[in-house]
Amino acid sequence: MSEQGACAGAVLTIDLGAIADNYRLLRQRSPQAVCGAAVKADAYGLGADRVATALANAGCRHFFVAHLDEGIQLRRHLPAHAEIYVLHGQSPGAEMECVYHRLTPVLNSTNQIADWRALARRLDRALPAIVQVDSGMSRLGLSGAEVDALLDDPEGLHGVELRYLMSHLACAEAQDHPMNEAQLSAFEAVRARFPACKASLANSSGIFLGPRYHFDLLRPGAALYGIAPVAGAANPMKPVVRLQARVIQTRLIGAGDAVGYGATYRAASTRRLATLSVGYADGWLRAFSNRGIVMAGAASVPILGRVSMDTCTIDVTDADPATVQPGALVDLISPARPIDAVAADAGTIAYEILTSLGRRYHRRYLDAEPPRTTPVERQAAKLPRNVTVSNSTYN
Ligand SMILES: *Cc1c(COP(=O)(O)O)cnc(C)c1O
């Protein structure tokens, strides 16, 4: 039998235990708020089914997806008491799908509110929802004038069971950006008009702006997956992702030889190259051309020439030859090459690196520690040690 993943050009390892630890770290930062999780876009490319299950076992019970379809898929993997919120709300005509699959829409516009209210009337029962207000990002949510109109309308939120009033921060990773305070006070002003309603404002970075931004429900995504929540500060989150690419072959080139499409790199002296089995079709972005860095063992080595669809080429002249034999794996993302530094090489953000991760990788999941149970609970459940039980503590 060959090594696991030997048939794949690259291996992606996702540490579910680190995701659970990151969840606990964020929850500890705000004892008074409930901590949810953004698992949209297939949990930022890491696999929503596995990630959401690990988070549910760590005690999370509020999950955010973007599309209704994502919510329908996710519902199959989560315990019945888990709440799934659909950030984009329902599109016209799809309201009933939310009810069938027990998904709670985030209502972002007067139209979405009217459609939800109409369904509540038709079914003759209150239907749960989050209402989003725009506090300065001009993306989703009611404007100030629309909030006025909603509150003036006697029908307004009739039949809508308002779970949370929500808004989203535009600049939270930049802690001293004036937008943060401006959005907070805009949100506070709207919230004062819905006095009985709970509120939700903070994404990952918002949590690190301090307790005034926490309200009742936190919505972290990025930080759970190891992305640094505060720009320019040490990253308190555990790394979650390791990406390794396989060496296909090595070769020597001489002064004047070109590398890759467009011949954008030309060697000034003799170099040893290794060609890796990873390219832009895997989400290893073309923007890494002549800019990216890879770890061959302990050596940090540059990408030379353009990244192709299925391959890229690195300069291993200074690397230990044993680390770049054909079949060896080099690290593209690892503790020595943190995801935020990798993103900076490509002139992008770590969110885009994760959500671009390709389908061709061999995926390995490192399992989360099962939730801690007392010996009595273990006995009661007649479970051997280290078996996951479903009645872990939820907040
Ligand atoms: C994606 C998203 C989040 C999570 O944001 P992170 O920066 O990944 O923590 C929270 N709220 C909304 C509305 C989002 O769209």
Side-chain angles (χ1 to χ4, degrees):
M1 276 288 278
S2 52
E3 143 208 11
Q4 224 203 352
C7 302
V11 178
L12 176 67
T13 306
I14 296 158
D15 187 344
L16 297 172
I19 294 176
D21 286 344
N22 287 338
Y23 176 77
R24 287 185 276 264
L25 188 144
L26 295 174
R27 188 169 57 187
Q28 278 159 17
R29 289 193 70 91
S30 184
Q32 88 279 7
V34 166
C35 192
V39 294
K40 59 192 181 185
D42 201 24
Y44 293 44
L46 303 184
D49 49 347
R50 301 296 298 265
V51 168
T53 301
L55 287 166
N57 286 334
C60 181
R61 54 165 298 185
H62 298 265
F63 296 86
F64 291 85
V65 293
H67 299 193
L68 187 47
D69 261 343
E70 294 181 308
I72 293 171
Q73 295 299 319
L74 186 62
R75 178 46 84 199
R76 304 207 307 254
H77 300 287
L78 283 176
H81 60 257
E83 297 287 348
I84 301 175
Y85 305 100
V86 179
L87 288 165
H88 293 185
Q90 80 290 2
S91 48
E95 297 80 23
M96 202 55 206
E97 296 297 319
C98 291
V99 176
Y100 281 142
H101 298 280
R102 288 190 305 103
L103 307 173
T104 303
V106 175
L107 305 176
N108 296 298
S109 65
T110 305
N111 284 343
Q112 285 185 329
I113 292 174
D115 290 345
W116 199 238
R117 196 172 57 207
L119 181 63
R121 186 177 306 116
R122 222 170 72 215
L123 300 179
D124 194 25
R125 64 176 162 108
L127 295 177
I130 289 179
V131 168
Q132 175 155 219
V133 295
D134 179 42
S135 57
M137 194 175 176
S138 310
R139 186 175 72 166
L140 291 171
L142 303 184
S143 67
E146 287 166 334
V147 171
D148 291 343
L150 181 71
L151 290 171
D152 286 345
D153 180 355
E155 281 295 292
L157 290 170
H158 189 77
V160 177
E161 181 196 329
L162 185 54
R163 292 272 174 89
Y164 295 92
L165 193 69
M166 174 186 137
S167 194
H168 191 52
L169 296 165
C171 305
E173 73 287 350
Q175 294 209 314
D176 47 13
H177 200 294
M179 271 297 275
N180 296 324
E181 282 293 330
Q183 287 196 271
L184 179 62
S185 38
F187 185 56
E188 287 282 22
V190 180
R191 202 172 72 96
R193 306 176 67 187
F194 296 83
C197 186
K198 291 186 187 167
S200 176
L201 179 64
N203 65 338
S204 301
S205 300
I207 296 171
F208 290 82
L209 292 175
R212 290 187 306 136
Y213 288 80
H214 291 176
F215 297 95
D216 302 294
L217 174 62
L218 310 171
R219 309 188 307 269
L224 294 170
Y225 312 123
I227 296 176
V230 182
N235 185 358
M237 313 315 298
K238 283 197 177 173
V240 167
V241 168
R242 184 173 187 190
L243 179 60
Q244 298 163 287
R246 204 172 292 286
V247 174
I248 307 170
Q249 70 170 168
T250 59
R251 71 171 66 245
L252 270 180
I253 61 169
D257 287 346
V259 179
Y261 282 121
T264 58
Y265 178 86
R266 228 168 248 288
S269 58
T270 301
R271 313 302 303 167
R272 177 164 290 281
L273 305 186
T275 301
L276 305 179
S277 185
V278 67
Y280 62 76
D282 301 295
W284 188 246
L285 307 177
R286 198 161 171 277
F288 290 119
S289 299
N290 288 308
R291 290 176 68 176
I293 301 220
V294 166
M295 298 302 294
S300 120
V301 306
I303 292 175
L304 299 187
R306 286 208 184 129
V307 174
S308 310
M309 184 184 290
D310 312 299
T311 59
C312 72
T313 307
I314 56 175
D315 180 346
V316 296
T317 314
D318 300 326
D320 174 353
T323 63
V324 289
Q325 292 298 315
L329 291 169
V330 299
D331 277 314
L332 309 183
I333 301 171
S334 69
R337 288 297 303 152
I339 183 93
D340 293 282
V342 169
D345 286 345
T348 185
I349 53 173
Y351 295 68
E352 193 176 28
I353 300 293
L354 289 188
T355 54
S356 301
L357 288 169
R359 300 270 133 219
R360 265 196 297 197
Y361 297 141
H362 175 75
R363 287 185 172 225
R364 290 172 50 211
Y365 286 92
L366 306 182
D367 276 314
E369 284 291 307
R372 249 174 284 137
T373 52
T374 65
V376 174
E377 282 173 328
R378 264 201 304 279
Q379 215 183 13
K382 293 207 172 19
L383 289 172
R385 250 170 194 290
N386 291 331
V387 166
T388 307
V389 296
S390 58
N391 64 338
S392 53
T393 35
Y394 290 95
N395 63 13

